[in-house]
Structures are given as structure tokens and as C-alpha cells.
């Protein structure tokens, strides 16, 4: 399961694992893949530095990367307080009414929201990079298009490859023109922010559009057979995110949420703007239904929606209000039926990959091992 890209980065398997949990990212790297730590939840540089220190101690010198969120569009000179002031009162009332309908308790006096979306704001992401480049990261990924040109140059000056997610061949070509090193072709099935083209169609389109740049296949991949399919379509590896949410190393802080993920089928997700203001695939809940109901006020653009719902999401998670409790996750959730360690997931992926290769060899009339 090695490719030119995986060899270049010094990893055993061409499996790139995105996760917000340092323990999961480190375990992915130790298992022979390439762990990518999501930075969006780190609003304080010291917190990111603490977890990167931990990553250094638990990866044994093996490579890993960082994922930031730098929106393509920004408002110059506007801070969080100014952005908060743009949120309409009617939307705030809608949040309050919805929480009251389900009896969601308030946070204790003085308790801050544990879930903030300020990481969507470029100045926060730049602060994260000021920390990250002090560490030996090998890849910097951006989930919302190409990073600014100076960020790409800064990464290259530090010997760091730059990856960007694309939901269409047009987006991929834009990344190539911007000097991106790796394009992640993320299909409609993926969790989080995603476009409208399914992976089976998208991956070969992107491979053709940006070759010879390496492409990673993402979206709806959760087995070794699917990894083999992605490589057969021309990808040089796969980008997996949702699959790690139910690993034993993941820290969801909610047994109720873990139970919901394990019980969910592939049809139990929805592509909704309820969380951030941009279409993001997540568990379908009564919270997403409320925001997607035409009789409601509708969602706000990023980053207003994320700031609006930050405290509400924290309250829902803390008190485990199950009808409203959700998380970004892809359609592969239907395969996530048991809690396993990251190593066990890798063992299953490699066995499935071998089965797929043997099957193709038999079809082609070649001898199998």
C-alpha cells in the first residue's frame, strides 16, 4: 500500500488520517500511516503547542501533519467581537427557543463555551501556523481551498508540503495554479465540508485535471477494498477522517454520541449548514432539522453561524441532549459498528487491501500469493 507520495513522506501505508484528537493522530502515525492533527479547535497558541509537544513525544520521530482552516474570503481588520455584533437578534432568539424546547440546561456561571469556531478566522489560523512551524510537521493541509500565497511559500521555505481539499476538478486546478503540492479529492460522501460530486466520479476527474500532482481520495472510504479502488482510480493515497471517531483513542467526551455513531446507518447523515454556515455532512438530528426547516430563519454565512451556535453546541454536548446531539461524519458511518483501536482499524484496512489485490489478480489471470 505504498505510493510515490507515501515513500516521499516516509510512511509505510498511503493512508492519511485526519482527526481533531492528538492521541488518534499519533496512533495513526505509529501504525504506519500519516496522522494529521486538526487545528481548528485551538484558539490559544499555547494549547496547540502543548499538544504538538505531546505528538512529538508519542510519534517516535515518525512523520505527521497539521490541518488548518483558512477561508478563501475574509474581512480585513475585523476581530471576533466585531463579527459577533453582526449576528441578528432573531437568529439568537431562534437558538434560545430551540434549546428551551428540548430543555437544554444553561452553562454554569462563568463557564465558557468549550466549542468555538474562531479557528475559521484567518488571523487565528495564522497564529496556529506561527506555532506549527516550530515543529517538524511534514504536511500542512487546508480544508477550505488554497491557503494564501505567503502561507504556501512559508510552508515550502520550511520544507513542508501543502495540501488542499477539492470538491471539483475546477477547484483542483485552482490549487495546482496556487502551488499546492497535494490535492485531496473529497467526494460528496465525506464528513464535514464537502461538495456535490461523489468520490467515484470526482477522483479520476481530479487526477486527470492536476496530474502529475499527487491526489488523495477522500469521502466514503472505510475499508481496504475501498483504498484499493481509490488507488486504481489514480490516487496516490487516501484521506480518512470519519473512521477514527469511534476508535478507542478518540476523545468525544460523550458516550451518548459514541452510541449514536455506532448505531447510525449510511443514510443517517445530512449535508447541512447548521454547524458552520457552509454545507457540512453530519449526523442528522433534530438540531439540523430545525435549521434546515424552511419556516426557520435560515443559517448565516461563515463564520457567523459557527459563532452563533458555539455555546449551544457546547451545552448540547455537555448535557448529552440526545435528540440534538451530533457531529460531522461521513456516510461511511454505516460501517462504524464497533469501537476498535487505531491499530485494529489499520489491521482491517491492510487485510481488506490484500483481499482486493488478490481478487483483481485472479480476475486478470495472475497468480495470487
Amino acid at each position: 500500500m505504498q505510493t510515490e507520495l507515501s515513500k516521499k513522506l516516509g510512511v509505510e501505508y498511503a493512508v492519511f488520517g485526519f482527526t481533531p484528537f492528538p492521541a488518534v493522530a499519533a496512533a495513526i502515525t505509529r501504525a504506519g500511516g500519516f496522522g494529521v492533527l486538526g487545528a481548528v479547535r485551538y484558539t490559544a497558541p499555547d494549547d496547540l503547542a502543548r499538544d504538538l509537544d505531546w505528538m512529538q513525544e508519542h510519534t517516535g520521530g515518525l512523520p505527521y501533519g497539521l490541518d488548518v482552516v483558512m477561508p478563501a474570503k475574509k474581512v480585513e481588520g475585523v476581530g471576533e467581537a466585531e463579527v459577533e455584533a453582526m449576528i441578528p437578534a432573531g437568529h439568537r432568539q431562534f437558538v434560545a427557543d430551540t434549546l428551551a424546547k428540548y430543555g437544554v440546561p444553561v452553562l454554569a456561571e462563568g463557564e465558557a463555551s468549550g466549542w468555538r469556531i474562531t479557528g475559521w478566522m484567518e488571523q487565528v489560523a495564522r497564529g496556529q501556523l506561527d506555532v506549527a512551524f516550530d515543529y517538524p510537521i511534514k504536511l500542512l493541509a487546508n480544508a477550505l481551498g488554497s491557503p494564501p500565497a505567503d502561507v504556501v511559500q512559508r510552508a515550502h521555505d520550511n520544507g513542508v508540503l501543502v495540501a488542499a481539499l477539492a470538491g471539483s476538478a475546477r477547484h483542483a486546478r485552482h490549487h495546482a495554479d496556487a502551488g499546492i503540492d497535494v490535492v485531496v479529492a473529497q467526494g460528496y460522501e465525506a464528513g464535514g465540508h464537502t461538495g456535490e460530486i461523489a468520490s467515484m466520479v470526482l477522483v479520476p476527474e481530479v487526477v486527470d485535471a492536476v496530474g502529475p500532482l499527487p491526489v488523495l481520495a477522500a469521502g466514503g472510504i472505510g475499508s481496504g477494498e475501498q483504498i484499493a479502488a481509490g488507488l486504481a482510480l489514480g490516487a496516490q493515497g487516501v484521506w480518512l477522517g470519519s473512521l477514527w471517531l469511534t476508535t478507542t483513542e478518540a476523545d468525544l467526551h460523550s458516550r451518548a454520541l459514541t452510541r449514536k455513531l455506532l448505531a447510525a446507518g449510511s443514510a443517517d447523515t445530512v449535508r447541512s449548514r447548521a454547524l458552520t454556515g457552509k454545507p457540512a455532512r453530519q449526523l442528522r438530528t433534530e438540531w439540523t432539522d430545525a435549521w434546515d426547516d424552511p419556516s426557520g430563519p435560515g443559517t448565516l454565512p461563515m463564520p457567523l453561524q459557527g459563532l452563533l451556535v458555539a455555546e449551544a453546541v457546547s451545552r448540547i454536548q455537555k448535557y448529552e441532549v440526545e435528540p440534538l446531539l451530533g457531529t460531522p461524519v461521513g456516510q461511511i458511518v454505516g460501517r462504524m459498528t464497533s469501537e476498535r483501536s487505531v491499530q485494529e482499524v489499520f489491521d482491517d484496512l491492510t487485510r481488506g487491501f490484500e483481499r482486493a489485490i488478490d481478487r483483481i489478480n485472479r480476475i486478470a489471470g495472475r497468480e495470487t500469493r
Side-chain angles (χ1 to χ4, degrees), residues 167-178:
S168 70
R170 178 176 61 84
H171 292 156
R173 283 190 290 267
H174 175 75
H175 295 335
D177 293 341

Side-chain angles (χ1 to χ4, degrees), residues 150-161:
D150 67 296
V151 171
V152 176
Q153 186 61 55
R154 186 179 178 189
H156 289 165
D157 290 345
N158 280 274
V160 177
L161 297 181

Side-chain angles (χ1 to χ4, degrees), residues 48-50 52-53 56 64 131-138 160:
L48 178 58
R50 176 202 64 217
L52 288 177
D53 284 338
Q56 280 293 103
Y64 62 91
V131 172
F133 287 129
D134 287 335
Y135 293 82
I137 62 171
K138 299 299 182 184
V160 177

Side-chain angles (χ1 to χ4, degrees), residues 15-187:
V15 175
F16 294 72
F18 164 79
T19 174
F21 307 118
V24 176
I28 291 168
T29 287
R30 291 197 306 271
F34 188 93
V36 181
L37 179 65
V40 70
R41 67 191 181 95
Y42 294 99
T43 57
D46 289 347
D47 291 340
L48 178 58
R50 176 202 64 217
D51 282 356
L52 288 177
D53 284 338
W54 190 94
M55 289 279 293
Q56 280 293 103
E57 295 170 4
H58 292 82
T59 50
L62 296 170
Y64 62 91
L66 191 74
D67 178 279
V68 297
V69 178
M70 302 186 79
K73 297 179 181 179
K74 63 177 181 177
V75 180
E76 296 286 354
V78 176
E80 182 179 347
E82 291 85 355
V83 174
E84 288 262 18
M86 300 177 188
I87 298 173
H91 281 73
R92 293 190 185 278
Q93 189 61 53
F94 179 76
V95 170
D97 292 345
T98 303
L99 295 177
K101 176 182 177 181
Y102 291 91
V104 182
V106 299
L107 297 176
E109 185 175 352
E111 182 178 359
S113 166
W115 189 88
R116 298 296 284 169
I117 287 291
T118 52
W120 305 118
M121 302 174 71
E122 183 177 322
Q123 62 266 36
V124 176
R126 286 185 177 275
Q128 294 165 351
L129 296 180
D130 289 339
V131 172
F133 287 129
D134 287 335
Y135 293 82
I137 62 171
K138 299 299 182 184
L139 179 77
L140 174 68
N142 187 42
L144 289 179
S146 303
D150 67 296
V151 171
V152 176
Q153 186 61 55
R154 186 179 178 189
H156 289 165
D157 290 345
N158 280 274
V160 177
L161 297 181
V162 181
L165 276 64
S168 70
R170 178 176 61 84
H171 292 156
R173 283 190 290 267
H174 175 75
H175 295 335
D177 293 341
I180 299 303
D181 304 292
V182 180
V183 176
V184 181
Q186 181 171 270

